[in-house]
Amino acid sequence: MDMLWCLMRNSKDAVLIAATLAVMTLLTGCGRPFLVSDRLKEVRVEAQTLMKTHAPASASSFQIVPKRQWPAAIKRLEPTTVTVYPWGVDIKRDAIPYGSYGYQVPRSKAVLPRPADCYTERSPGVFWHDPC
């Protein structure tokens, strides 16, 4: 603690330390999944509705859901894209150079497109995935 106080005596150092702490807080908080099960139950119901209203035309196609048509619970997840595939709904939180992360709501667990170890089931039928 004495070292921190010593560093903060200079106002430029204090600003630098505060900015560094703010950036670290943002970086560790971004991309983490919601853990509120009730909200994720709503997301599952809304995703099932999207599977009906935005069904892909064929087994190899998909439908990107326009932002203005995102249901409320899905919108609260702050996705970058919402896409309906034949297997289910992909709610992408962010894309990074080596992959993406977000939620996936499949028609059944057996049809998830990534390897099983990429997923954590956050609520029944709602899976979080990291880049893998």
Side-chain angles (χ1 to χ4, degrees), residues 55-63 83-87:
S58 70
S60 61
S61 66
F62 58 88
Q63 290 285 328
T83 308
V84 181
Y85 292 92
W87 56 262

Side-chain angles (χ1 to χ4, degrees), residues 6-131:
C6 186
L7 287 172
M8 292 184 68
R9 281 190 280 180
N10 182 339
S11 64
K12 287 181 182 178
D13 289 340
V15 170
L16 180 62
I17 290 169
T20 302
L21 290 173
V23 167
M24 288 172 48
T25 300
L26 287 172
L27 289 176
T28 58
C30 292
R32 292 196 173 187
F34 282 100
L35 298 176
V36 181
S37 185
D38 289 342
R39 280 196 183 172
L40 294 178
K41 287 177 187 173
E42 292 175 34
V43 167
R44 183 172 184 224
V45 169
E46 292 177 350
Q48 290 170 337
T49 300
L50 289 176
M51 287 182 224
K52 295 174 188 167
T53 60
H54 292 77
S58 70
S60 61
S61 66
F62 58 88
Q63 290 285 328
I64 297 173
V65 181
K67 190 173 184 174
R68 68 183 180 282
Q69 294 178 12
W70 292 352
I74 290 176
K75 191 180 288 188
R76 280 194 297 268
L77 297 175
E78 300 177 0
T80 56
T81 60
V82 177
T83 308
V84 181
Y85 292 92
W87 56 262
V89 178
D90 182 43
I91 303 165
K92 194 169 289 175
R93 287 287 312 269
D94 204 0
I96 50 182
Y98 55 89
S100 66
Y101 56 88
Y103 293 94
Q104 291 186 337
V105 182
R107 294 181 186 280
S108 76
K109 187 175 181 175
V111 298
L112 283 166
R114 298 171 185 255
D117 60 344
C118 293
Y119 294 102
T120 304
E121 191 168 14
R122 295 292 178 182
S123 182
V126 181
F127 298 85
W128 172 260
H129 71 84
D130 290 316

